[in-house]
mmCIF file with all atom_site columns, all heavy atoms in Angstrom:
data_model
loop_
_atom_site.group_PDB
_atom_site.id
_atom_site.type_symbol
_atom_site.label_atom_id
_atom_site.label_alt_id
_atom_site.label_comp_id
_atom_site.label_asym_id
_atom_site.label_entity_id
_atom_site.label_seq_id
_atom_site.pdbx_PDB_ins_code
_atom_site.Cartn_x
_atom_site.Cartn_y
_atom_site.Cartn_z
_atom_site.occupancy
_atom_site.B_iso_or_equiv
_atom_site.pdbx_formal_charge
_atom_site.auth_seq_id
_atom_site.auth_comp_id
_atom_site.auth_asym_id
_atom_site.auth_atom_id
_atom_site.pdbx_PDB_model_num
ATOM 1  N N   . GLU A 1 240 ? -9.126  14.179 2.299  1.00 75.00 ? 261 GLU A N   1
ATOM 2  C CA  . GLU A 1 240 ? -7.833  14.128 2.868  1.00 75.00 ? 261 GLU A CA  1
ATOM 3  C C   . GLU A 1 240 ? -6.696  15.021 1.948  1.00 75.00 ? 261 GLU A C   1
ATOM 4  O O   . GLU A 1 240 ? -5.742  15.403 2.356  1.00 75.00 ? 261 GLU A O   1
ATOM 5  C CB  . GLU A 1 240 ? -7.212  12.695 2.810  1.00 75.00 ? 261 GLU A CB  1
ATOM 6  C CG  . GLU A 1 240 ? -7.180  11.922 1.572  1.00 75.00 ? 261 GLU A CG  1
ATOM 7  C CD  . GLU A 1 240 ? -6.531  10.644 1.697  1.00 75.00 ? 261 GLU A CD  1
ATOM 8  O OE1 . GLU A 1 240 ? -6.049  10.267 2.771  1.00 75.00 ? 261 GLU A OE1 1
ATOM 9  O OE2 . GLU A 1 240 ? -6.429  9.943  0.734  1.00 75.00 ? 261 GLU A OE2 1
ATOM 10 N N   . ASP A 1 241 ? -7.230  15.268 0.674  1.00 67.00 ? 262 ASP A N   1
ATOM 11 C CA  . ASP A 1 241 ? -6.201  15.900 -0.177 1.00 67.00 ? 262 ASP A CA  1
ATOM 12 C C   . ASP A 1 241 ? -6.576  17.352 -0.345 1.00 67.00 ? 262 ASP A C   1
ATOM 13 O O   . ASP A 1 241 ? -6.017  18.071 -1.126 1.00 67.00 ? 262 ASP A O   1
ATOM 14 C CB  . ASP A 1 241 ? -6.335  15.233 -1.690 1.00 67.00 ? 262 ASP A CB  1
ATOM 15 C CG  . ASP A 1 241 ? -5.917  13.793 -1.540 1.00 67.00 ? 262 ASP A CG  1
ATOM 16 O OD1 . ASP A 1 241 ? -4.886  13.516 -1.012 1.00 67.00 ? 262 ASP A OD1 1
ATOM 17 O OD2 . ASP A 1 241 ? -6.592  13.001 -2.168 1.00 67.00 ? 262 ASP A OD2 1
ATOM 18 N N   . LEU A 1 242 ? -7.509  17.991 0.517  1.00 67.00 ? 263 LEU A N   1
ATOM 19 C CA  . LEU A 1 242 ? -7.820  19.399 0.410  1.00 67.00 ? 263 LEU A CA  1
ATOM 20 C C   . LEU A 1 242 ? -6.582  20.098 0.749  1.00 67.00 ? 263 LEU A C   1
ATOM 21 O O   . LEU A 1 242 ? -5.947  19.826 1.832  1.00 67.00 ? 263 LEU A O   1
ATOM 22 C CB  . LEU A 1 242 ? -8.894  19.597 1.307  1.00 67.00 ? 263 LEU A CB  1
ATOM 23 C CG  . LEU A 1 242 ? -9.681  20.947 1.229  1.00 67.00 ? 263 LEU A CG  1
ATOM 24 C CD1 . LEU A 1 242 ? -10.418 20.920 -0.139 1.00 67.00 ? 263 LEU A CD1 1
ATOM 25 C CD2 . LEU A 1 242 ? -10.710 21.183 2.361  1.00 67.00 ? 263 LEU A CD2 1
ATOM 26 N N   . PRO A 1 243 ? -6.151  21.114 -0.026 1.00 66.00 ? 264 PRO A N   1
ATOM 27 C CA  . PRO A 1 243 ? -4.941  21.876 0.260  1.00 66.00 ? 264 PRO A CA  1
ATOM 28 C C   . PRO A 1 243 ? -4.934  22.596 1.695  1.00 66.00 ? 264 PRO A C   1
ATOM 29 O O   . PRO A 1 243 ? -5.989  23.059 2.146  1.00 66.00 ? 264 PRO A O   1
ATOM 30 C CB  . PRO A 1 243 ? -4.874  22.954 -0.817 1.00 66.00 ? 264 PRO A CB  1
ATOM 31 C CG  . PRO A 1 243 ? -5.643  22.328 -1.934 1.00 66.00 ? 264 PRO A CG  1
ATOM 32 C CD  . PRO A 1 243 ? -6.629  21.561 -1.331 1.00 66.00 ? 264 PRO A CD  1
ATOM 33 N N   . ARG A 1 244 ? -3.862  22.547 2.405  1.00 71.00 ? 265 ARG A N   1
ATOM 34 C CA  . ARG A 1 244 ? -3.897  23.044 3.805  1.00 71.00 ? 265 ARG A CA  1
ATOM 35 C C   . ARG A 1 244 ? -4.287  24.415 3.871  1.00 71.00 ? 265 ARG A C   1
ATOM 36 O O   . ARG A 1 244 ? -5.104  24.746 4.889  1.00 71.00 ? 265 ARG A O   1
ATOM 37 C CB  . ARG A 1 244 ? -2.422  22.832 4.327  1.00 71.00 ? 265 ARG A CB  1
ATOM 38 C CG  . ARG A 1 244 ? -2.304  23.394 5.714  1.00 71.00 ? 265 ARG A CG  1
ATOM 39 C CD  . ARG A 1 244 ? -3.143  22.773 6.820  1.00 71.00 ? 265 ARG A CD  1
ATOM 40 N NE  . ARG A 1 244 ? -2.904  21.384 6.999  1.00 71.00 ? 265 ARG A NE  1
ATOM 41 C CZ  . ARG A 1 244 ? -1.890  20.966 7.741  1.00 71.00 ? 265 ARG A CZ  1
ATOM 42 N NH1 . ARG A 1 244 ? -1.159  21.813 8.470  1.00 71.00 ? 265 ARG A NH1 1
ATOM 43 N NH2 . ARG A 1 244 ? -1.642  19.628 7.912  1.00 71.00 ? 265 ARG A NH2 1
ATOM 44 N N   . ASP A 1 245 ? -3.962  25.271 2.958  1.00 64.00 ? 266 ASP A N   1
ATOM 45 C CA  . ASP A 1 245 ? -4.316  26.747 3.108  1.00 64.00 ? 266 ASP A CA  1
ATOM 46 C C   . ASP A 1 245 ? -5.786  26.921 3.058  1.00 64.00 ? 266 ASP A C   1
ATOM 47 O O   . ASP A 1 245 ? -6.460  27.809 3.728  1.00 64.00 ? 266 ASP A O   1
ATOM 48 C CB  . ASP A 1 245 ? -3.590  27.593 2.157  1.00 64.00 ? 266 ASP A CB  1
ATOM 49 C CG  . ASP A 1 245 ? -3.565  27.205 0.720  1.00 64.00 ? 266 ASP A CG  1
ATOM 50 O OD1 . ASP A 1 245 ? -4.278  26.227 0.418  1.00 64.00 ? 266 ASP A OD1 1
ATOM 51 O OD2 . ASP A 1 245 ? -2.971  27.909 -0.064 1.00 64.00 ? 266 ASP A OD2 1
ATOM 52 N N   . ILE A 1 246 ? -6.416  26.105 2.080  1.00 64.00 ? 267 ILE A N   1
ATOM 53 C CA  . ILE A 1 246 ? -7.939  26.183 1.993  1.00 64.00 ? 267 ILE A CA  1
ATOM 54 C C   . ILE A 1 246 ? -8.526  25.576 3.222  1.00 64.00 ? 267 ILE A C   1
ATOM 55 O O   . ILE A 1 246 ? -9.494  26.056 3.720  1.00 64.00 ? 267 ILE A O   1
ATOM 56 C CB  . ILE A 1 246 ? -8.355  25.640 0.676  1.00 64.00 ? 267 ILE A CB  1
ATOM 57 C CG1 . ILE A 1 246 ? -7.823  26.373 -0.514 1.00 64.00 ? 267 ILE A CG1 1
ATOM 58 C CG2 . ILE A 1 246 ? -9.872  25.403 0.683  1.00 64.00 ? 267 ILE A CG2 1
ATOM 59 C CD1 . ILE A 1 246 ? -8.053  25.895 -1.804 1.00 64.00 ? 267 ILE A CD1 1
ATOM 60 N N   . ARG A 1 247 ? -8.006  24.397 3.610  1.00 66.00 ? 268 ARG A N   1
ATOM 61 C CA  . ARG A 1 247 ? -8.604  23.658 4.723  1.00 66.00 ? 268 ARG A CA  1
ATOM 62 C C   . ARG A 1 247 ? -8.560  24.521 6.021  1.00 66.00 ? 268 ARG A C   1
ATOM 63 O O   . ARG A 1 247 ? -9.579  24.573 6.774  1.00 66.00 ? 268 ARG A O   1
ATOM 64 C CB  . ARG A 1 247 ? -7.812  22.373 4.943  1.00 66.00 ? 268 ARG A CB  1
ATOM 65 C CG  . ARG A 1 247 ? -8.445  21.484 6.087  1.00 66.00 ? 268 ARG A CG  1
ATOM 66 C CD  . ARG A 1 247 ? -9.828  20.876 5.620  1.00 66.00 ? 268 ARG A CD  1
ATOM 67 N NE  . ARG A 1 247 ? -10.565 20.319 6.829  1.00 66.00 ? 268 ARG A NE  1
ATOM 68 C CZ  . ARG A 1 247 ? -11.170 20.961 7.776  1.00 66.00 ? 268 ARG A CZ  1
ATOM 69 N NH1 . ARG A 1 247 ? -11.202 22.288 7.772  1.00 66.00 ? 268 ARG A NH1 1
ATOM 70 N NH2 . ARG A 1 247 ? -11.697 20.191 8.682  1.00 66.00 ? 268 ARG A NH2 1
ATOM 71 N N   . ASP A 1 248 ? -7.506  25.110 6.218  1.00 67.00 ? 269 ASP A N   1
ATOM 72 C CA  . ASP A 1 248 ? -7.413  25.899 7.414  1.00 67.00 ? 269 ASP A CA  1
ATOM 73 C C   . ASP A 1 248 ? -8.318  27.078 7.457  1.00 67.00 ? 269 ASP A C   1
ATOM 74 O O   . ASP A 1 248 ? -8.791  27.705 8.491  1.00 67.00 ? 269 ASP A O   1
ATOM 75 C CB  . ASP A 1 248 ? -5.870  26.531 7.652  1.00 67.00 ? 269 ASP A CB  1
ATOM 76 C CG  . ASP A 1 248 ? -4.959  25.387 7.948  1.00 67.00 ? 269 ASP A CG  1
ATOM 77 O OD1 . ASP A 1 248 ? -5.416  24.301 8.318  1.00 67.00 ? 269 ASP A OD1 1
ATOM 78 O OD2 . ASP A 1 248 ? -3.714  25.653 7.845  1.00 67.00 ? 269 ASP A OD2 1
ATOM 79 N N   . GLY A 1 249 ? -8.708  27.578 6.306  1.00 64.00 ? 270 GLY A N   1
ATOM 80 C CA  . GLY A 1 249 ? -9.660  28.690 6.241  1.00 64.00 ? 270 GLY A CA  1
ATOM 81 C C   . GLY A 1 249 ? -11.095 28.461 6.492  1.00 64.00 ? 270 GLY A C   1
ATOM 82 O O   . GLY A 1 249 ? -11.944 29.205 6.502  1.00 64.00 ? 270 GLY A O   1
ATOM 83 N N   . LEU A 1 250 ? -11.356 27.116 6.579  1.00 67.00 ? 271 LEU A N   1
ATOM 84 C CA  . LEU A 1 250 ? -12.767 26.657 6.683  1.00 67.00 ? 271 LEU A CA  1
ATOM 85 C C   . LEU A 1 250 ? -13.197 26.800 8.161  1.00 67.00 ? 271 LEU A C   1
ATOM 86 O O   . LEU A 1 250 ? -14.380 26.785 8.463  1.00 67.00 ? 271 LEU A O   1
ATOM 87 C CB  . LEU A 1 250 ? -12.902 25.204 6.234  1.00 67.00 ? 271 LEU A CB  1
ATOM 88 C CG  . LEU A 1 250 ? -12.654 24.893 4.799  1.00 67.00 ? 271 LEU A CG  1
ATOM 89 C CD1 . LEU A 1 250 ? -12.830 23.395 4.489  1.00 67.00 ? 271 LEU A CD1 1
ATOM 90 C CD2 . LEU A 1 250 ? -13.684 25.674 3.868  1.00 67.00 ? 271 LEU A CD2 1
ATOM 91 N N   . GLY A 1 251 ? -12.294 26.811 9.059  1.00 67.00 ? 272 GLY A N   1
ATOM 92 C CA  . GLY A 1 251 ? -12.655 26.927 10.510 1.00 67.00 ? 272 GLY A CA  1
ATOM 93 C C   . GLY A 1 251 ? -12.684 25.575 11.099 1.00 67.00 ? 272 GLY A C   1
ATOM 94 O O   . GLY A 1 251 ? -12.409 24.579 10.502 1.00 67.00 ? 272 GLY A O   1
#
Side-chain angles (χ1 to χ4, degrees):
E261 62 173 358
D262 299 312
L263 199 63
R265 174 61 64 86
D266 52 2
I267 294 177
R268 182 67 189 82
D269 289 348
L271 295 177

